Amino acid sequence: MSRGDVLRQLRGVLASMRGGHAAARALAVSDSRALVRSLFLSSLAASGVGPELTRPRTEAELVDLTRCSRPDRLRAWLAVGAEVGELRERRGRWGPSGSRARAIVAGDQLLTAHYRSMVEYQSGPYAHLLSLLRSGDAEGRTDLAEHADTIAEVSLAAAPFIEPFLRAAVAATARRPVRALDVGCGTGVYTRVLLDCDPTVTVEGIDLAADVVAHTRERIRASGYAARATISVGDVRTWVPDSGRRFDIVALCNNLYYFAPDERVELFRRLRTLLTDGGEVVAVSLTRPGSIASAHLHLMLCCQDTHAALPERGEIERTLTQAGFEIVESRNLVPTEPFVGVRARMASR
């Protein structure tokens, strides 16, 4: 580059800085680069191309594997991956380079769901904010129903923090065998945690999404727990267990926010009818305010065609108390997030 070229570029930089908010413009450039990386990774996860890159592929192979009729578009997409450092070409073959792309290609379920969720539903409330602000309840988004599988997979990020809290609740239960109800069981991750706690534990899991329930049944069967677990479609507000049986533990993990705030006292009263004497509700949830993640999730929930909302800090404990429970334990489970675990016991009848 000649001295004249350098001077011209410097003059361009100075003109840009004088033309507006220099610091903000510099930050915008950084934001744009991060956005392009996220968009590329989202497309890698959502398109299904990732698994095809478990071994290096030529462009021609990728054209065939993706049934591509516009190789120029594929070539442009590969170039974006190379520029953000997530793909690289060696001797005419393409493969993952960045750690995130390598994890997606290797089949990391949580990371794949995380990036897939960005294009499936996370950007929607921001892209359509004005119409959502002006629309009524019935015109909200339907992400909770349309993307139930992805949402269930993304929620697994909290599993390492919830698992010890659930284990402690089972250990503190005096009854043996322990009967547990997993409300909104989703992928069944917490059903399996409960089953792992003690060989005497039996679990019933219920969820509103029929397709999620079908997948979870298969996972439970594959894990060898079919004899101690029953997974079914059900709404806990109306669901009636067989033979009127009751449970020693009722768990609500990452799903209390799907119930409207004005329904939660009645929800917990309903759970009282499903508990044995001295039984416990175990509720874990992100709360607000307190972090970017909680603010973002609360917006996502508020934009749905339901009345979903994150509970406010302290709301879970207050609501349980109003419903006739005694708080056994309440503590923060994630160091960097307002994510709480609450155990509440029903007094003996």
Side-chain angles (χ1 to χ4, degrees):
M1 184 182 294
S2 69
R3 183 171 180 273
D5 289 337
V6 173
L7 289 174
R8 279 189 288 274
Q9 289 184 6
L10 287 173
R11 282 196 290 271
V13 171
L14 291 172
S16 177
M17 292 176 65
R18 288 194 297 268
H21 301 277
R25 290 184 176 188
L27 289 170
V29 171
S30 176
D31 289 343
S32 295
R33 289 171 177 165
L35 174 62
V36 172
R37 180 189 295 274
S38 293
L39 290 171
F40 174 81
L41 291 166
S42 297
S43 67
L44 181 67
S47 66
V49 175
E52 306 296 352
L53 293 172
T54 51
R55 65 179 180 83
R57 300 285 191 178
T58 65
E59 184 181 309
E61 287 176 321
L62 290 172
V63 166
D64 290 339
L65 289 167
T66 59
R67 298 192 295 277
C68 176
S69 59
R70 285 288 301 269
D72 59 321
R73 292 176 180 172
L74 175 63
R75 196 173 303 119
W77 180 79
L78 292 169
V80 173
E83 290 295 340
V84 298
E86 295 296 339
L87 295 183
R88 65 181 172 189
E89 181 187 16
R90 283 186 174 179
R91 299 175 182 176
R93 294 182 178 274
W94 290 89
S97 176
S99 59
R100 283 159 285 197
R102 287 199 300 269
I104 291 170
V105 169
D108 185 296
Q109 180 184 8
L110 176 57
L111 205 63
T112 299
H114 168 74
Y115 281 108
R116 193 170 68 240
S117 72
M118 289 185 180
V119 292
E120 286 183 352
Y121 62 85
Q122 286 203 53
S123 61
Y126 299 94
H128 304 290
L129 179 64
L130 192 57
S131 64
L132 287 165
L133 294 177
R134 294 172 175 173
S135 64
D137 294 341
E139 298 172 297
R141 295 178 60 82
T142 57
D143 301 313
L144 301 182
E146 291 180 22
H147 306 292
D149 270 339
T150 302
I151 291 169
E153 290 171 359
V154 170
S155 70
L156 293 177
F161 303 97
I162 297 174
E163 179 175 342
F165 192 70
L166 279 179
R167 288 184 177 278
V170 173
T173 302
R175 293 177 183 266
R176 290 295 184 274
V178 177
R179 290 177 299 198
L181 174 64
D182 188 4
V183 177
C185 60
T187 62
V189 61
Y190 303 118
T191 298
R192 293 193 295 275
V193 168
L194 289 164
L195 292 165
D196 279 339
C197 288
D198 189 305
T200 70
V201 174
T202 58
V203 181
E204 289 201 31
I206 59 173
D207 199 282
L208 290 172
D211 54 344
V212 171
V213 165
H215 294 157
T216 300
R217 282 175 179 157
E218 290 302 318
R219 292 187 182 104
I220 293 296
R221 188 176 296 112
S223 300
Y225 288 127
R228 292 197 285 131
T230 303
I231 310 298
S232 56
V233 177
D235 184 336
V236 72
R237 291 167 291 194
T238 56
W239 177 76
V240 178
D242 292 341
S243 305
R245 61 182 170 277
R246 291 178 177 169
F247 302 91
D248 306 301
I249 291 176
V250 174
L252 295 96
C253 300
N254 280 345
N255 51 35
L256 179 61
Y257 39 74
Y258 294 145
F259 299 91
D262 60 2
E263 295 179 352
R264 291 171 188 167
V265 171
E266 190 56 38
L267 167 67
F268 286 131
R269 286 175 179 155
R270 164 67 178 153
L271 297 186
R272 287 188 64 188
T273 69
L274 300 175
L275 284 168
T276 56
D277 288 345
E280 288 188 0
V281 164
V282 180
V284 293
S285 178
L286 193 62
T287 62
R288 61 184 170 95
S291 74
I292 293 172
S294 68
H296 173 62
L297 178 56
H298 184 58
L299 172 64
M300 295 285 302
L301 294 168
C302 286
C303 290
Q304 303 304 306
D305 61 353
T306 62
H307 291 275
L310 270 188
E312 296 179 357
R313 189 171 298 174
E315 179 186 336
I316 299 173
E317 295 88 336
R318 290 193 302 271
T319 306
L320 280 162
T321 300
Q322 290 172 9
F325 285 89
E326 299 172 354
I327 305 302
V328 175
E329 182 181 13
S330 175
R331 60 186 173 91
N332 197 70
L333 302 182
V334 182
T336 59
E337 297 290 334
F339 194 95
V340 300
V342 181
R343 289 172 51 208
R345 182 173 299 143
M346 186 181 70
S348 297
R349 301 178 195 276

Short mmCIF file of all heavy atoms in Angstrom, two decimals, residues 9 25 47 124 162 188 210 287 290 309 337:
data_model
loop_
_atom_site.label_atom_id
_atom_site.label_comp_id
_atom_site.label_asym_id
_atom_site.label_seq_id
_atom_site.Cartn_x
_atom_site.Cartn_y
_atom_site.Cartn_z
N GLN A 9 -6.89 6.77 3.46
CA GLN A 9 -7.67 5.98 4.42
C GLN A 9 -7.78 6.70 5.76
O GLN A 9 -8.84 6.70 6.39
CB GLN A 9 -7.03 4.61 4.59
CG GLN A 9 -7.19 3.71 3.38
CD GLN A 9 -6.63 2.32 3.62
OE1 GLN A 9 -6.22 1.98 4.72
NE2 GLN A 9 -6.59 1.51 2.56
N ARG A 25 -20.14 4.66 16.60
CA ARG A 25 -19.96 4.07 15.28
C ARG A 25 -18.93 2.94 15.33
O ARG A 25 -19.09 1.91 14.66
CB ARG A 25 -19.52 5.15 14.28
CG ARG A 25 -20.63 6.13 13.96
CD ARG A 25 -20.21 7.13 12.91
NE ARG A 25 -21.33 8.00 12.55
CZ ARG A 25 -21.29 8.86 11.55
NH1 ARG A 25 -20.21 8.96 10.80
NH2 ARG A 25 -22.33 9.63 11.28
N SER A 47 -29.82 -25.08 9.11
CA SER A 47 -29.93 -25.57 7.74
C SER A 47 -29.69 -27.07 7.61
O SER A 47 -30.06 -27.68 6.61
CB SER A 47 -28.92 -24.84 6.85
OG SER A 47 -27.59 -25.17 7.23
N GLY A 124 -37.52 -12.55 16.44
CA GLY A 124 -38.85 -12.11 16.04
C GLY A 124 -39.40 -10.91 16.80
O GLY A 124 -39.87 -9.94 16.18
N ILE A 162 -29.67 -26.94 38.18
CA ILE A 162 -30.92 -27.45 38.76
C ILE A 162 -30.74 -28.84 39.35
O ILE A 162 -31.33 -29.18 40.38
CB ILE A 162 -32.02 -27.45 37.68
CG1 ILE A 162 -32.31 -26.03 37.21
CG2 ILE A 162 -33.29 -28.11 38.20
CD1 ILE A 162 -33.28 -25.95 36.04
N GLY A 188 -37.37 -34.36 29.26
CA GLY A 188 -37.24 -35.41 30.26
C GLY A 188 -35.94 -35.38 31.02
O GLY A 188 -35.65 -36.30 31.80
N ALA A 210 -47.51 -32.58 22.39
CA ALA A 210 -47.57 -34.01 22.08
C ALA A 210 -46.30 -34.50 21.40
O ALA A 210 -45.84 -35.62 21.68
CB ALA A 210 -48.78 -34.29 21.19
N THR A 287 -35.67 -15.27 37.17
CA THR A 287 -36.56 -14.21 37.64
C THR A 287 -36.07 -12.88 37.09
O THR A 287 -35.05 -12.80 36.40
CB THR A 287 -36.61 -14.16 39.18
OG1 THR A 287 -35.30 -13.87 39.69
CG2 THR A 287 -37.08 -15.49 39.75
N GLY A 290 -32.39 -8.34 36.71
CA GLY A 290 -31.11 -8.81 37.19
C GLY A 290 -30.10 -9.22 36.15
O GLY A 290 -28.93 -9.39 36.48
N ALA A 309 -44.95 -14.70 31.47
CA ALA A 309 -44.08 -13.64 32.00
C ALA A 309 -43.14 -14.24 33.03
O ALA A 309 -43.52 -15.15 33.78
CB ALA A 309 -44.90 -12.53 32.65
N GLU A 337 -26.73 -15.12 37.37
CA GLU A 337 -28.09 -14.88 36.92
C GLU A 337 -29.07 -14.89 38.11
O GLU A 337 -28.83 -15.57 39.11
CB GLU A 337 -28.54 -15.95 35.92
CG GLU A 337 -27.74 -15.99 34.63
CD GLU A 337 -28.00 -14.79 33.75
OE1 GLU A 337 -29.09 -14.18 33.85
OE2 GLU A 337 -27.11 -14.44 32.95
#
